[in-house]
Amino acid sequence: MYKEPIFLQPDFKERIWGGTKLRDYYNYEIPSTNTGECWGISAHENGPSILKNGPLRGQTLTKVWENHRELFGHEEGEKFPLLVKILDANDDLSVQVHPDDEYARIYESGELGKTECWYVIDCEVDSHLILGHHAKTKEEFVRMIETGEWDLLLKKVPIKPGDFYYVPSGTIHAIGKGALILETQQSSDTTYRVYDYDRIDDKGDKRERHVQQSIEVSTIPHKDAEVKQGANRKEGLITKQLVSEKYFTVYHCQLDGSVEQKMNRNYLLLSILEGNGSVIIEGKSYSFTKGDHLILPSTISEYQLTGDAQFILSHTTYGPLGGNNK
Ligand code: ZN
């Protein structure tokens, strides 16, 4: 029986808006000074994580999901449903929108839709996001895009470290310059770019836009997402629920001491933001540190966490154990 945490080797993506914070904050070996994304927990074909330990070491999470579903509570589904990233926005990301499951299945050859959420790890003083828009009707939305009235159309939100945003598919959004963000999302890589600030790349070309698709999938008028939040303390662990919606439940956790936990989900995803500690399973200790990404599989029945650390924890919302009841 598999009785250990699964540590993952992330995949990194260079982006025109990327920087060096993934190295500066987490000591990751990044491919260049334009590194935008760390795919920390991923079974997506465009950047799967590799297992770093245990009997399945060296395999991709994609293969492990295919062949070892017992580690994931025999949850159903062709694809591992979640993807956890850290994003370094050294410059503004394009204004974009993602499709829902239905649209992606039909028009993006079976991709999942992309509902996502953001935890702001750090940001510069004047950082902001774009979240939503001000158009009241589709006609107004289309007209403002055609005439380039971006300042009137787009809803700007100032941010600070520790903020959290839930971004359902269909929400117009952009992460702004200076933000370091942990994103928990559906496992999808489909983005429709509405506006890219008329930027040109080093060959003098603008990045492709997908205006027609954006108009089709955007929620009009925009609705601010409401999320239920709450915190509790158990022994040395403060757990704050950030969101619990259809696809995922995400928590911010502050560990300061020790806590005994029962495994009551199909599997748990952990990304360590600060500090270090250990997870102890049947008397064996596995240490973790800032920047680590790991999965606790369902074959673990109890575990203890000890240390001084901050991490983001997530799981699929359906469950709790054995298959899903979507
Ligand atoms: Zn997005």
Side-chain angles (χ1 to χ4, degrees), residues 96 98 114 116 118 173 183 191:
Q96 53 187 254
H98 308 296
K114 189 172 165 194
E116 60 192 55
W118 306 326
H173 64 274
E183 177 175 79
T191 293

